[in-house]
């Protein structure tokens, strides 16, 4: 996962396949009684809907968390990345930002306080932060 993927890995067809697999896998894991954290851009509303539908089909509560930060902070983070699985570059970030739909119905979270994201998800799912 730490090797950069070729550009064709980011075609529309490849993206659709990846998000379909992510939703299916998340639904299967949730149906098995496990908590699921699906981490992706979710810029495309259809990808969000597919994940939400997978959770409903599994009979679990869905909590969508939308991490956001100022562009200068996002740029700083992309520049500072080394040795991780992300293929993001400044160009990729800026392109994504042009299509950013915002939180929509998902819970917006300041990315600088991301440590609280899992607690928020747990609380929304079970009413307390110890269940998941």
């Amino acid at each position: 996962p730490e090797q950069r993927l070729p550009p064709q890995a980011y075609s529309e067809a490849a993206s659709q396949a990846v998000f379909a697999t992510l939703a299916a896998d998340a639904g299967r894991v949730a149906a098995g009684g496990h908590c699921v954290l699906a981490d992706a851009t979710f810029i495309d509303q259809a990808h969000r809907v597919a994940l939400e539908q997978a959770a409903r089909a599994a009979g679990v509560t869905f909590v969508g968390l939308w991490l956001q930060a100022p562009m200068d902070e996002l740029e700083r983070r992309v520049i500072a990345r080394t040795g991780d699985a992300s293929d993001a570059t400044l160009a990729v970030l800026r392109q994504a930002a042009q299509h950013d739909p915002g939180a929509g119905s998902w819970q917006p979270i300041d990315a600088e306080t991301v440590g609280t994201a899992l607690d928020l998800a747990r609380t929304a799912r079970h009413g307390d932060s110890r269940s998941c």
Side-chain angles (χ1 to χ4, degrees), residues 28-109:
R28 193 169 24 262
V29 171
H34 302 281
C35 292
V36 177
L37 177 65
D39 179 11
T41 61
F42 292 106
I43 290 173
D44 185 329
Q45 182 64 27
H47 298 158
R48 294 184 196 196
V49 169
L51 187 63
E52 292 173 26
Q53 289 174 339
R56 276 195 294 282
V60 299
T61 301
F62 175 82
V63 179
L65 304 175
W66 186 258
L67 298 176
Q68 52 194 24
M71 180 58 88
D72 61 335
E73 174 63 16
L74 296 174
E75 289 173 343
R76 185 191 65 71
R77 291 179 185 196
V78 167
I79 290 168
R81 282 183 167 162
T82 58
D84 69 1
S86 176
D87 287 340
T89 63
L90 289 178
V92 169
L93 170 64
R94 291 174 181 146
Q95 175 71 18
Q98 291 178 357
H99 302 286
D100 181 356
S105 64
W106 290 18
Q107 172 67 44
I109 297 175

